[in-house]
Amino acid sequence: MIPFDEAHSRMLAEIQPIRESVAIPVAEALGRVLSVPVIAPADVPNHANSAMDGYGVRSMDCAGSEPVTLTVIADLPAGDRLTNPLWEGEAVRIMTGAPIPPGCDCVVMQEVVRREGDRVTIPPGRSIGENIRPAGEDIRCATEVLPAGCRLRPAHLGLLTSLGLERVEVVRRPVVALLSTGNEVMEPGTPLLPGQVYDSNRTSLRGALTALGMEILDLGVVRDDRERIAALLRQAGEEADAVITTGGVSVGDHDLVKEVLGGQGEIHFWQVAMKPGKPQAYGRLGRACFFGLPGNPVSGLTVFLLMVRPALLRLTGAADEPPRQLRATFRGRLNKKHNRMDFIRGVAHFDPDGVWVETTGAQGSGILTSLAKANALIVLAEAPVTLQDGDVVTIRLIDYD
Ligand code: AMP
Ligand code: MG
Protein backbone atom coordinates (compact mmCIF):
# COMPACT_ATOMS: atom_id res chain seq x y z
CA MET A 1 0.00 0.00 0.00
CA ILE A 2 1.08 3.59 -0.73
CA PRO A 3 0.66 6.19 2.03
CA PHE A 4 -2.00 8.78 1.23
CA ASP A 5 0.42 11.74 1.21
CA GLU A 6 2.80 9.99 -1.17
CA ALA A 7 0.00 8.96 -3.54
CA HIS A 8 -1.31 12.53 -3.44
CA SER A 9 1.99 14.18 -4.27
CA ARG A 10 3.00 11.62 -6.92
CA MET A 11 -0.35 12.00 -8.66
CA LEU A 12 -0.27 15.82 -8.51
CA ALA A 13 3.30 15.99 -9.83
CA GLU A 14 2.10 14.53 -13.14
CA ILE A 15 -0.47 17.24 -13.81
CA GLN A 16 0.45 19.80 -16.46
CA PRO A 17 -1.59 23.02 -16.40
CA ILE A 18 -3.53 23.91 -19.56
CA ARG A 19 -1.75 26.73 -21.39
CA GLU A 20 -4.48 27.92 -23.75
CA SER A 21 -6.36 31.02 -22.68
CA VAL A 22 -9.45 32.86 -23.86
CA ALA A 23 -10.71 36.41 -23.38
CA ILE A 24 -14.20 36.44 -21.90
CA PRO A 25 -16.51 39.11 -20.44
CA VAL A 26 -15.76 39.86 -16.79
CA ALA A 27 -19.44 39.40 -16.03
CA GLU A 28 -19.19 35.73 -17.11
CA ALA A 29 -15.85 34.95 -15.47
CA LEU A 30 -17.00 33.67 -12.07
CA GLY A 31 -14.88 30.66 -11.06
CA ARG A 32 -12.50 30.99 -14.00
CA VAL A 33 -8.72 31.19 -13.54
CA LEU A 34 -6.63 34.15 -14.71
CA SER A 35 -4.03 33.10 -17.29
CA VAL A 36 -2.04 36.33 -16.96
CA PRO A 37 -1.73 38.88 -14.13
CA VAL A 38 -4.05 41.88 -14.27
CA ILE A 39 -2.22 45.23 -14.22
CA ALA A 40 -4.25 48.31 -13.24
CA PRO A 41 -4.79 50.63 -16.22
CA ALA A 42 -5.88 53.46 -13.87
CA ASP A 43 -6.15 54.61 -10.28
CA VAL A 44 -9.21 53.50 -8.30
CA PRO A 45 -10.78 55.74 -7.22
CA ASN A 46 -9.82 57.92 -10.14
CA HIS A 47 -10.18 61.11 -8.11
CA ALA A 48 -10.02 62.07 -4.41
CA ASN A 49 -13.60 61.92 -3.12
CA SER A 50 -15.68 62.28 -0.03
CA ALA A 51 -16.08 59.33 2.35
CA MET A 52 -19.08 60.96 4.07
CA ASP A 53 -22.17 63.04 3.49
CA GLY A 54 -21.18 66.42 4.93
CA TYR A 55 -19.35 69.66 4.17
CA GLY A 56 -16.11 70.15 2.34
CA VAL A 57 -13.94 72.88 3.91
CA ARG A 58 -10.38 74.25 4.00
CA SER A 59 -8.85 72.89 7.21
CA MET A 60 -6.90 76.15 7.67
CA ASP A 61 -10.24 78.00 7.97
CA CYS A 62 -11.18 75.82 10.92
CA ALA A 63 -7.81 75.69 12.67
CA GLY A 64 -8.76 77.73 15.76
CA SER A 65 -10.26 76.48 19.02
CA GLU A 66 -13.68 78.06 18.35
CA PRO A 67 -16.44 76.99 15.93
CA VAL A 68 -16.40 78.88 12.61
CA THR A 69 -19.25 79.76 10.32
CA LEU A 70 -18.69 79.36 6.57
CA THR A 71 -20.73 80.13 3.45
CA VAL A 72 -22.03 77.16 1.48
CA ILE A 73 -21.29 78.00 -2.16
CA ALA A 74 -22.37 74.79 -3.90
CA ASP A 75 -24.07 71.46 -3.57
CA LEU A 76 -22.08 68.46 -4.80
CA PRO A 77 -23.93 65.16 -5.17
CA ALA A 78 -21.94 62.09 -6.27
CA GLY A 79 -21.43 62.34 -10.01
CA ASP A 80 -21.15 66.15 -10.03
CA ARG A 81 -17.92 68.05 -9.73
CA LEU A 82 -16.79 71.55 -8.94
CA THR A 83 -13.85 72.89 -10.93
CA ASN A 84 -13.42 76.30 -9.30
CA PRO A 85 -11.61 76.27 -5.95
CA LEU A 86 -12.89 76.99 -2.46
CA TRP A 87 -11.78 80.38 -1.20
CA GLU A 88 -11.35 81.51 2.39
CA GLY A 89 -14.58 81.29 4.37
CA GLU A 90 -16.30 78.96 1.90
CA ALA A 91 -17.65 75.44 2.19
CA VAL A 92 -19.44 73.02 -0.16
CA ARG A 93 -22.24 70.66 0.67
CA ILE A 94 -20.76 67.30 -0.48
CA MET A 95 -22.12 63.76 -0.71
CA THR A 96 -20.29 60.45 -0.35
CA GLY A 97 -18.34 59.69 -3.52
CA ALA A 98 -18.38 63.25 -4.90
CA PRO A 99 -14.95 64.49 -6.02
CA ILE A 100 -13.14 66.87 -3.66
CA PRO A 101 -12.99 70.35 -5.23
CA PRO A 102 -9.66 72.21 -5.47
CA GLY A 103 -8.70 73.94 -2.23
CA CYS A 104 -10.83 71.63 -0.08
CA ASP A 105 -8.76 69.31 2.14
CA CYS A 106 -11.25 68.15 4.74
CA VAL A 107 -14.82 66.83 4.87
CA VAL A 108 -16.82 67.41 8.05
CA MET A 109 -19.58 64.88 8.62
CA GLN A 110 -23.02 66.45 8.58
CA GLU A 111 -23.94 65.08 12.01
CA VAL A 112 -21.55 67.50 13.78
CA VAL A 113 -22.36 70.78 11.98
CA ARG A 114 -25.18 73.31 12.24
CA ARG A 115 -26.71 74.48 8.96
CA GLU A 116 -28.77 77.69 8.67
CA GLY A 117 -29.70 78.90 5.19
CA ASP A 118 -26.48 79.15 3.19
CA ARG A 119 -24.35 79.21 6.36
CA VAL A 120 -22.80 76.24 8.11
CA THR A 121 -21.09 76.23 11.51
CA ILE A 122 -18.15 73.84 11.85
CA PRO A 123 -16.86 72.71 15.26
CA PRO A 124 -13.09 73.03 15.93
CA GLY A 125 -10.57 70.18 15.79
CA ARG A 126 -10.47 69.51 12.02
CA SER A 127 -7.53 67.79 10.38
CA ILE A 128 -6.14 67.67 6.86
CA GLY A 129 -7.47 64.72 4.86
CA GLU A 130 -10.34 64.02 7.22
CA ASN A 131 -13.03 61.88 5.53
CA ILE A 132 -11.29 62.10 2.14
CA ARG A 133 -10.56 58.99 0.12
CA PRO A 134 -7.45 59.79 -1.93
CA ALA A 135 -7.15 58.87 -5.60
CA GLY A 136 -5.62 55.40 -5.91
CA GLU A 137 -6.58 54.50 -2.33
CA ASP A 138 -7.87 51.12 -3.49
CA ILE A 139 -5.68 50.41 -6.53
CA ARG A 140 -2.67 52.29 -7.87
CA CYS A 141 -2.32 52.62 -11.63
CA ALA A 142 0.27 50.21 -13.14
CA THR A 143 0.41 47.88 -10.14
CA GLU A 144 -0.47 44.17 -10.28
CA VAL A 145 -4.02 43.79 -9.04
CA LEU A 146 -4.48 40.03 -9.35
CA PRO A 147 -1.89 37.35 -10.11
CA ALA A 148 -2.09 34.67 -12.80
CA GLY A 149 -3.68 31.59 -11.25
CA CYS A 150 -6.27 33.59 -9.31
CA ARG A 151 -9.65 31.84 -9.24
CA LEU A 152 -12.15 34.60 -9.79
CA ARG A 153 -14.60 35.09 -6.91
CA PRO A 154 -17.39 37.68 -6.83
CA ALA A 155 -15.20 40.40 -5.26
CA HIS A 156 -12.57 39.86 -7.99
CA LEU A 157 -15.18 40.47 -10.68
CA GLY A 158 -16.13 43.72 -8.99
CA LEU A 159 -12.47 44.69 -8.71
CA LEU A 160 -11.89 44.13 -12.43
CA THR A 161 -14.97 46.18 -13.25
CA SER A 162 -13.84 49.00 -10.94
CA LEU A 163 -10.80 49.25 -13.23
CA GLY A 164 -13.06 49.61 -16.25
CA LEU A 165 -12.12 46.21 -17.64
CA GLU A 166 -14.82 44.52 -19.71
CA ARG A 167 -12.94 41.38 -20.67
CA VAL A 168 -10.41 39.22 -18.91
CA GLU A 169 -7.90 36.55 -20.02
CA VAL A 170 -8.67 33.20 -18.43
CA VAL A 171 -7.53 29.63 -18.91
CA ARG A 172 -9.71 27.57 -21.24
CA ARG A 173 -12.10 25.39 -19.29
CA PRO A 174 -10.89 21.80 -18.97
CA VAL A 175 -13.05 19.14 -20.60
CA VAL A 176 -13.57 16.29 -18.16
CA ALA A 177 -14.95 12.98 -19.41
CA LEU A 178 -17.00 11.02 -16.92
CA LEU A 179 -17.79 7.33 -17.16
CA SER A 180 -19.51 4.93 -14.78
CA THR A 181 -18.85 1.23 -15.10
CA GLY A 182 -20.66 -1.86 -13.87
CA ASN A 183 -23.27 -4.35 -15.06
CA GLU A 184 -25.38 -3.58 -12.02
CA VAL A 185 -25.30 0.20 -12.46
CA MET A 186 -28.55 1.61 -13.89
CA GLU A 187 -29.90 4.96 -15.00
CA PRO A 188 -32.79 6.16 -12.86
CA GLY A 189 -36.19 5.83 -14.51
CA THR A 190 -36.38 2.04 -14.59
CA PRO A 191 -37.27 -0.13 -11.60
CA LEU A 192 -34.28 -1.97 -10.12
CA LEU A 193 -33.90 -5.73 -10.16
CA PRO A 194 -32.31 -7.31 -7.10
CA GLY A 195 -28.61 -6.43 -6.99
CA GLN A 196 -28.88 -3.42 -9.23
CA VAL A 197 -28.10 0.14 -8.09
CA TYR A 198 -28.76 3.52 -9.59
CA ASP A 199 -25.78 5.43 -10.93
CA SER A 200 -25.34 7.82 -8.02
CA ASN A 201 -21.63 8.35 -8.76
CA ARG A 202 -22.25 10.15 -12.00
CA THR A 203 -24.67 12.67 -10.52
CA SER A 204 -22.42 13.32 -7.50
CA LEU A 205 -19.41 13.78 -9.72
CA ARG A 206 -21.27 15.87 -12.29
CA GLY A 207 -22.21 18.15 -9.42
CA ALA A 208 -18.65 18.27 -8.15
CA LEU A 209 -17.31 19.03 -11.64
CA THR A 210 -19.90 21.72 -12.23
CA ALA A 211 -19.01 23.34 -8.90
CA LEU A 212 -15.38 23.46 -10.09
CA GLY A 213 -16.32 25.04 -13.41
CA MET A 214 -15.33 22.05 -15.56
CA GLU A 215 -16.85 21.28 -18.95
CA ILE A 216 -18.32 17.79 -18.70
CA LEU A 217 -18.18 15.14 -21.39
CA ASP A 218 -20.70 12.67 -20.01
CA LEU A 219 -20.02 9.19 -21.37
CA GLY A 220 -22.81 7.62 -19.35
CA VAL A 221 -22.68 4.19 -17.83
CA VAL A 222 -21.00 1.25 -19.51
CA ARG A 223 -21.46 -2.43 -18.81
CA ASP A 224 -18.53 -4.58 -17.78
CA ASP A 225 -17.61 -5.29 -21.39
CA ARG A 226 -13.96 -5.06 -22.48
CA GLU A 227 -14.57 -3.75 -26.00
CA ARG A 228 -17.10 -1.09 -24.96
CA ILE A 229 -14.90 0.14 -22.12
CA ALA A 230 -11.83 0.20 -24.35
CA ALA A 231 -13.67 2.16 -27.06
CA LEU A 232 -15.10 4.72 -24.67
CA LEU A 233 -11.78 5.24 -22.93
CA ARG A 234 -10.04 5.71 -26.27
CA GLN A 235 -12.60 8.36 -27.22
CA ALA A 236 -12.24 10.03 -23.81
CA GLY A 237 -8.46 10.09 -24.11
CA GLU A 238 -8.75 11.89 -27.46
CA GLU A 239 -11.47 14.41 -26.63
CA ALA A 240 -10.92 15.33 -22.99
CA ASP A 241 -8.26 16.95 -20.82
CA ALA A 242 -9.12 14.64 -17.95
CA VAL A 243 -10.98 11.33 -17.70
CA ILE A 244 -12.74 10.12 -14.58
CA THR A 245 -14.13 6.60 -14.30
CA THR A 246 -15.81 4.99 -11.33
CA GLY A 247 -15.76 1.30 -10.57
CA GLY A 248 -13.70 -1.49 -11.99
CA VAL A 249 -10.30 -0.56 -10.52
CA SER A 250 -10.37 -3.04 -7.67
CA VAL A 251 -9.23 -6.66 -7.70
CA GLY A 252 -12.54 -8.38 -8.54
CA ASP A 253 -13.15 -10.65 -11.56
CA HIS A 254 -15.06 -7.93 -13.40
CA ASP A 255 -12.83 -4.97 -12.65
CA LEU A 256 -12.34 -4.35 -16.32
CA VAL A 257 -11.10 -0.76 -16.24
CA LYS A 258 -8.05 -2.21 -14.59
CA GLU A 259 -7.85 -5.00 -17.13
CA VAL A 260 -8.32 -2.76 -20.18
CA LEU A 261 -5.90 -0.06 -19.07
CA GLY A 262 -3.52 -2.33 -17.23
CA GLY A 263 -1.65 -3.11 -20.45
CA GLN A 264 -1.08 0.55 -21.22
CA GLY A 265 1.87 1.16 -18.95
CA GLU A 266 0.98 4.79 -18.37
CA ILE A 267 -1.61 4.06 -15.70
CA HIS A 268 -0.65 3.18 -12.14
CA PHE A 269 -2.98 1.06 -10.08
CA TRP A 270 -2.48 1.86 -6.46
CA GLN A 271 -3.70 0.49 -3.19
CA VAL A 272 -3.69 3.73 -1.22
CA ALA A 273 -3.50 3.44 2.55
CA MET A 274 -6.69 5.37 3.09
CA LYS A 275 -10.27 4.68 4.05
CA PRO A 276 -12.58 5.05 2.24
CA GLY A 277 -11.16 4.59 -1.25
CA LYS A 278 -8.25 2.17 -1.20
CA PRO A 279 -8.16 1.12 -4.89
CA GLN A 280 -7.38 4.00 -7.25
CA ALA A 281 -5.76 4.45 -10.64
CA TYR A 282 -3.88 7.43 -12.05
CA GLY A 283 -1.91 8.22 -15.13
CA ARG A 284 -2.20 9.38 -18.70
CA LEU A 285 -4.70 8.23 -21.28
CA GLY A 286 -4.01 9.71 -24.72
CA ARG A 287 -3.73 13.45 -24.19
CA ALA A 288 -5.78 13.34 -20.98
CA CYS A 289 -4.90 12.71 -17.38
CA PHE A 290 -6.73 9.72 -15.98
CA PHE A 291 -8.41 9.24 -12.62
CA GLY A 292 -9.87 5.81 -11.89
CA LEU A 293 -12.03 6.08 -8.80
CA PRO A 294 -13.44 3.22 -6.78
CA GLY A 295 -17.08 2.36 -7.41
CA ASN A 296 -18.43 2.66 -3.90
CA PRO A 297 -20.29 5.97 -3.80
CA VAL A 298 -18.64 7.29 -0.63
CA SER A 299 -15.21 6.18 -1.77
CA GLY A 300 -15.59 7.70 -5.23
CA LEU A 301 -16.66 11.12 -4.04
CA THR A 302 -14.22 11.22 -1.13
CA VAL A 303 -11.29 10.33 -3.39
CA PHE A 304 -12.55 12.96 -5.80
CA LEU A 305 -12.47 15.60 -3.06
CA LEU A 306 -9.08 14.61 -1.70
CA MET A 307 -7.19 13.71 -4.87
CA VAL A 308 -8.97 14.71 -8.08
CA ARG A 309 -10.21 18.14 -7.09
CA PRO A 310 -6.70 19.54 -6.41
CA ALA A 311 -5.49 17.91 -9.63
CA LEU A 312 -8.25 19.50 -11.70
CA LEU A 313 -7.56 22.86 -10.10
CA ARG A 314 -3.92 22.49 -11.04
CA LEU A 315 -5.01 21.60 -14.58
CA THR A 316 -6.77 24.97 -14.77
CA GLY A 317 -3.57 26.71 -13.69
CA ALA A 318 -5.13 27.75 -10.38
CA ALA A 319 -2.72 28.46 -7.55
CA ASP A 320 -2.66 25.50 -5.13
CA GLU A 321 -5.13 25.91 -2.30
CA PRO A 322 -4.10 24.07 0.83
CA PRO A 323 -7.01 22.16 2.38
CA ARG A 324 -8.80 24.05 5.14
CA GLN A 325 -7.94 22.11 8.27
CA LEU A 326 -8.44 22.90 11.92
CA ARG A 327 -8.52 21.33 15.32
CA ALA A 328 -11.83 20.33 16.82
CA THR A 329 -13.03 18.64 19.96
CA PHE A 330 -14.39 15.20 19.27
CA ARG A 331 -17.71 14.14 20.76
CA GLY A 332 -18.68 10.49 20.78
CA ARG A 333 -16.75 7.24 20.79
CA LEU A 334 -14.75 5.71 17.99
CA ASN A 335 -12.42 2.77 17.67
CA LYS A 336 -10.16 2.67 14.61
CA LYS A 337 -8.49 -0.71 14.20
CA HIS A 338 -6.95 -0.58 10.73
CA ASN A 339 -3.63 0.84 9.56
CA ARG A 340 -4.93 3.13 6.85
CA MET A 341 -5.45 6.86 7.07
CA ASP A 342 -9.10 7.41 7.87
CA PHE A 343 -11.34 10.18 6.58
CA ILE A 344 -14.40 9.88 8.79
CA ARG A 345 -17.44 11.81 7.68
CA GLY A 346 -18.42 14.28 10.35
CA VAL A 347 -20.48 17.30 11.22
CA ALA A 348 -18.40 20.17 12.53
CA HIS A 349 -20.20 22.65 14.78
CA PHE A 350 -18.72 26.12 14.79
CA ASP A 351 -19.72 27.40 18.21
CA PRO A 352 -18.50 30.81 19.41
CA ASP A 353 -16.43 29.12 22.12
CA GLY A 354 -14.88 26.49 19.87
CA VAL A 355 -15.33 23.88 17.17
CA TRP A 356 -16.55 20.40 17.97
CA VAL A 357 -17.20 17.50 15.70
CA GLU A 358 -19.25 14.33 15.72
CA THR A 359 -19.40 11.54 13.15
CA THR A 360 -22.35 11.26 10.78
CA GLY A 361 -22.99 7.73 12.03
CA ALA A 362 -22.36 4.45 10.19
CA GLN A 363 -19.32 4.88 7.94
CA GLY A 364 -19.59 2.06 5.38
CA SER A 365 -18.27 3.03 1.96
CA GLY A 366 -21.69 2.38 0.44
CA ILE A 367 -23.49 4.59 2.98
CA LEU A 368 -23.82 7.79 0.99
CA THR A 369 -25.94 9.44 3.69
CA SER A 370 -22.75 9.55 5.78
CA LEU A 371 -21.23 11.93 3.23
CA ALA A 372 -24.43 13.78 2.43
CA LYS A 373 -24.79 14.85 6.07
CA ALA A 374 -21.13 15.77 6.47
CA ASN A 375 -19.47 19.17 6.29
CA ALA A 376 -16.04 17.91 7.32
CA LEU A 377 -13.79 14.87 7.33
CA ILE A 378 -12.18 13.80 10.59
CA VAL A 379 -8.62 12.95 9.58
CA LEU A 380 -7.05 10.10 11.53
CA ALA A 381 -3.45 9.01 10.97
CA GLU A 382 -2.62 5.46 9.90
CA ALA A 383 -2.12 3.92 13.32
CA PRO A 384 -5.07 2.43 15.23
CA VAL A 385 -6.63 4.80 17.75
CA THR A 386 -9.52 5.08 20.16
CA LEU A 387 -11.33 8.38 20.46
CA GLN A 388 -13.62 9.53 23.21
CA ASP A 389 -15.41 12.66 24.30
CA GLY A 390 -13.07 15.63 24.58
CA ASP A 391 -10.23 14.27 22.43
CA VAL A 392 -8.79 16.83 20.02
CA VAL A 393 -8.82 15.80 16.36
CA THR A 394 -7.87 17.37 13.03
CA ILE A 395 -10.75 18.02 10.70
CA ARG A 396 -10.70 19.00 7.07
CA LEU A 397 -13.59 21.04 5.74
CA ILE A 398 -15.39 19.64 2.72
CA ASP A 399 -14.95 22.13 -0.10
CA TYR A 400 -16.58 21.29 -3.39
CA ASP A 401 -15.98 24.53 -5.27
P1 AMP B 1 -16.52 -1.68 -8.04
O1 AMP B 1 -15.50 -0.66 -7.65
O2 AMP B 1 -16.85 -1.68 -9.49
O3 AMP B 1 -16.13 -3.05 -7.54
O4 AMP B 1 -17.85 -1.30 -7.26
C1 AMP B 1 -17.88 -1.27 -5.86
C2 AMP B 1 -19.29 -1.04 -5.36
O5 AMP B 1 -19.74 0.22 -5.80
C3 AMP B 1 -20.32 -2.02 -5.86
O6 AMP B 1 -21.20 -2.32 -4.79
C4 AMP B 1 -21.03 -1.29 -6.95
O7 AMP B 1 -22.35 -1.72 -7.12
C5 AMP B 1 -21.00 0.12 -6.46
N1 AMP B 1 -21.00 1.06 -7.58
C6 AMP B 1 -20.16 1.01 -8.64
N2 AMP B 1 -20.44 2.00 -9.51
C7 AMP B 1 -21.47 2.70 -8.97
C8 AMP B 1 -22.21 3.84 -9.40
N3 AMP B 1 -21.90 4.46 -10.55
N4 AMP B 1 -23.19 4.30 -8.60
C9 AMP B 1 -23.47 3.67 -7.45
N5 AMP B 1 -22.82 2.61 -7.00
C10 AMP B 1 -21.83 2.10 -7.74
MG1 MG C 1 -17.87 -2.80 -10.87
Side-chain angles (χ1 to χ4, degrees), residues 192-254:
L192 291 183
L193 298 174
Q196 294 183 327
V197 293
Y198 290 122
D199 185 1
S200 60
N201 286 347
R202 205 150 41 88
T203 33
S204 297
L205 292 172
R206 280 190 67 107
L209 292 170
T210 303
L212 276 183
M214 301 292 136
E215 205 170 307
I216 300 167
L217 175 61
D218 192 338
L219 298 178
V221 41
V222 62
R223 299 177 57 75
D224 291 320
D225 167 326
R226 269 179 209 83
E227 272 70 59
R228 278 298 288 149
I229 293 177
L232 282 168
L233 288 179
R234 200 172 317 113
Q235 178 197 350
E238 283 162 10
E239 296 179 11
D241 300 292
V243 179
I244 300 175
T245 62
T246 64
V249 293
S250 195
V251 292
D253 293 341
H254 300 276

Side-chain angles (χ1 to χ4, degrees), residues 267-290:
I267 312 263
H268 311 286
F269 292 87
W270 287 340
Q271 300 293 311
V272 182
M274 65 184 283
K275 195 173 183 237
K278 183 168 73 165
Q280 299 169 33
Y282 298 101
R284 291 208 68 80
L285 184 65
R287 65 175 194 88
C289 40
F290 177 78

